Amino acid sequence: MITPIDFQDDTIVGFRMSGTITKDDIKPWADKLDRKSDTVRKLRVYVEADDMDAVTVKAALADLQFDATHLGDFDKAAFVSDDTWIKISTFMGDLVPGIHAKQFSLDEKEEAQQWIKS
């Protein structure tokens, strides 16, 4: 499941992931980011992953497809999780030119929120 986190800022899209993430969960968020990327020069993404069970293969592929078509649309990404796979995703995201990705533990949520706003 993916639920929104409101930052009261049009340049930041925030969401919390939990349980099993499916392609049906990814699609509305990809659509929202598509629309925002048409109107905002650079987006920032804040992701909290807590109590996640799994990401389906179709969801992962949909996410990769979205990422490939929007490489230049983001300047910052904050990933908040204690899961190892999120740490690996953050490292991979930081390799993409033009985006600064940073990983925070669940205990560092407030710091992550301040960082994504700055």
Side-chain angles (χ1 to χ4, degrees):
M1 173 175 17
I2 300 176
T3 55
I5 299 173
D6 186 8
F7 277 88
Q8 308 265 322
D9 183 327
D10 286 341
T11 64
I12 301 171
V13 176
F15 53 92
R16 180 176 294 109
M17 300 187 308
S18 61
T20 299
I21 307 301
T22 67
K23 183 178 179 181
D24 290 338
D25 293 320
I26 298 284
K27 176 130 177 59
W29 287 97
D31 291 345
K32 181 178 184 172
L33 288 167
D34 270 337
R35 287 189 304 276
K36 280 197 172 273
S37 70
D38 289 341
T39 59
V40 176
R41 190 166 95 43
K42 290 285 187 175
L43 289 171
R44 296 176 178 192
V45 178
Y46 174 91
V47 180
E48 276 182 25
D50 188 16
D51 198 26
M52 281 190 53
D53 298 327
V55 177
T56 66
V57 172
K58 287 183 180 181
L61 291 174
D63 183 52
L64 284 173
Q65 179 183 0
F66 176 84
D67 292 347
T69 59
H70 290 280
L71 286 177
D73 294 344
F74 301 94
D75 68 348
K76 267 182 152 177
F79 297 97
V80 181
S81 179
D82 291 331
D83 292 333
T84 301
W85 73 269
I86 291 290
K87 292 176 184 176
I88 293 168
S89 296
T90 304
F91 170 75
M92 296 302 287
D94 212 21
L95 295 177
V96 176
I99 188 168
H100 184 158
K102 191 169 179 183
Q103 198 275 329
F104 298 85
S105 71
L106 290 169
D107 292 336
E108 299 172 315
K109 283 182 194 179
E110 288 182 31
E111 181 183 340
Q113 291 172 0
Q114 290 305 312
W115 181 81
I116 201 70
K117 291 177 187 178
S118 66

